[in-house]
Amino acid sequence: MTRLLLRRLRDLLVILVVVGTMMFFVIRLIPGDPALAILGPTARPADVAALRSAMGLDGSLWEQYLSWAGHVLHGDFGSSITYHQPVLGVVLEHIPPTLTLAVLSSVISFLLSVAVTSWYAVSPRNPLARALDRLSALGMAIPDFWISLVLVLVFSVTLRWLPSSGYHSLFTDPVQALPALVLPLVVLVIGQTALFVLTLRESMLGELPLAYLRTARAKGLSESRVMLRHVLPNALMPLITQLGSNFAMLVGGIVIIESIFVIPGLGHLLMGAVSTRDFPLIQGVTLFVALLFVLVNLLVDLSYAAIDPKVRVS
């Protein structure tokens, strides 16, 4: 376990260096001058040059990179051009909405996928179970933005049951927060549950021909006990891998959902930073997402040992 943690820490440092370096140079390819975007097209050249110097954009590209890397090593990610605040503070301020959506949707989707797939495995001839299993393919095919717009049209515009936008902290004001979270959560849960059901079903089908199940049936175990006690735990490994990867992608990529429902999360923040050429903020958000991605994968690896005894032995 100690060797695993050390390897992951090494991978974390390498990934952060690679992602930070690539993002630094890639975002410089975005057309436009950040100083001119702030001051406007009617700004005087002298004012633009002064602002570029204040932002550290007057040196060569390598000089800018070395200056930025040196500040990052000391924990200074720079100041946001748009918010006029330290990047770290801006990122931390926008993390709670995104994490709330990612955690709740991942947990709900995981539980629903396990329930639906287990029900289908135990009762394959049940019409409702078969219908839910078949609907998973449909859930994968429908775009999130289309589901979002339909839900807003039906439940917010027509029926006026739920708000179409806004966000309140679930911990400080749960009464107002829950109605605003329903629609974005439903959109995320539909897509994730469909993906998880397909992943778990294929994994369970791969376990069915194995010899240990014939032994379990020969001992007189019922089919439901064979499925739930033996097949399901062994089939969870690919689902947990998918859950970890999907969670990390949600944190950095719920741009469409946050834009439609006006949720001030990381995706919404990143879109605004790109449109305003806020280079320090783009780099800060990207590094945070990369850090979270590695940490989530570490938790996934550690969870393998809790689920599969073979991993603990190895």
Side-chain angles (χ1 to χ4, degrees):
M1 192 64 69
T2 303
R3 288 197 301 270
L4 174 63
L5 290 174
L6 292 176
R7 285 200 304 268
R8 287 304 185 187
L9 289 176
R10 178 202 62 194
D11 295 342
L12 171 62
L13 294 176
V14 173
I15 290 174
L16 290 180
V17 171
V18 172
V19 170
T21 302
M22 290 182 61
M23 185 54 60
F24 180 89
F25 290 103
V26 167
I27 62 176
R28 263 63 183 181
L29 300 177
I30 300 176
D33 186 344
L36 191 60
I38 294 174
L39 296 178
T42 59
R44 295 182 302 172
D47 295 335
V48 175
L51 183 57
R52 284 181 58 83
S53 177
M55 295 167 60
L57 300 176
D58 55 341
S60 66
L61 201 57
W62 283 105
E63 291 175 346
Q64 296 178 39
Y65 172 72
L66 292 176
S67 174
W68 172 77
H71 284 88
V72 169
L73 290 176
H74 290 86
D76 180 11
F77 294 89
S79 296
S80 169
I81 299 173
T82 306
Y83 292 88
H84 305 290
Q85 298 176 13
V87 167
L88 185 59
V90 176
V91 172
L92 292 177
E93 183 181 345
H94 288 77
I95 287 175
T98 301
L99 281 184
T100 300
L101 285 175
V103 171
L104 289 179
S105 63
S106 296
V107 171
I108 296 172
S109 301
F110 179 82
L111 296 177
L112 284 177
S113 63
V114 171
V116 170
T117 310
S118 301
W119 187 17
Y120 177 74
V122 173
S123 306
R125 297 184 180 181
N126 186 291
L128 183 56
R130 295 177 65 180
L132 291 174
D133 183 72
R134 297 296 184 270
L135 284 175
S136 59
L138 181 61
M140 287 284 294
I142 302 177
D144 288 346
F145 73 88
W146 187 85
I147 301 176
S148 302
L149 295 177
V150 170
L151 291 179
V152 169
L153 178 62
V154 174
F155 294 101
S156 298
V157 178
T158 304
L159 299 178
R160 299 183 182 275
W161 288 354
L162 296 168
S164 62
S165 62
Y167 173 81
H168 300 275
S169 174
L170 190 61
F171 302 100
T172 58
D173 194 358
V175 175
Q176 289 190 347
L178 287 175
L181 287 174
V182 169
L183 293 184
L185 279 177
V186 168
V187 176
L188 293 175
V189 166
I190 289 175
Q192 288 187 93
T193 303
L195 175 62
F196 292 168
V197 166
L198 293 175
T199 301
L200 184 56
R201 186 184 63 183
E202 292 301 318
S203 180
M204 293 182 72
L205 290 176
E207 293 288 327
L208 293 179
L210 299 183
Y212 76 94
L213 295 182
R214 292 197 297 269
T215 304
R217 293 188 180 98
K219 291 181 178 179
L221 297 181
S222 63
E223 192 65 21
S224 60
R225 184 168 177 79
V226 169
M227 289 294 176
L228 299 178
R229 178 65 181 85
H230 296 281
V231 177
L232 181 59
N234 290 317
L236 281 178
M237 303 289 280
L239 179 59
I240 292 177
T241 302
Q242 186 68 58
L243 176 66
S245 301
N246 206 64
F247 179 81
M249 291 174 60
L250 282 178
V251 171
I254 325 180
V255 179
I256 296 177
I257 303 300
E258 292 182 350
S259 299
I260 292 176
F261 295 103
V262 195
I263 298 174
L266 287 179
H268 193 268
L269 177 67
L270 185 59
M271 284 291 293
V274 171
S275 63
T276 57
R277 283 84 169 174
D278 195 338
F279 292 165
L281 189 55
I282 297 174
Q283 293 160 181
V285 174
T286 306
L287 285 177
F288 172 78
V289 173
L291 171 65
L292 186 65
F293 192 87
V294 176
L295 293 178
V296 168
N297 279 283
L298 174 61
L299 292 176
V300 169
D301 290 341
L302 296 178
S303 67
Y304 287 164
I307 294 173
D308 193 346
K310 293 182 292 184
V311 176
R312 291 198 297 267
V313 173
S314 61

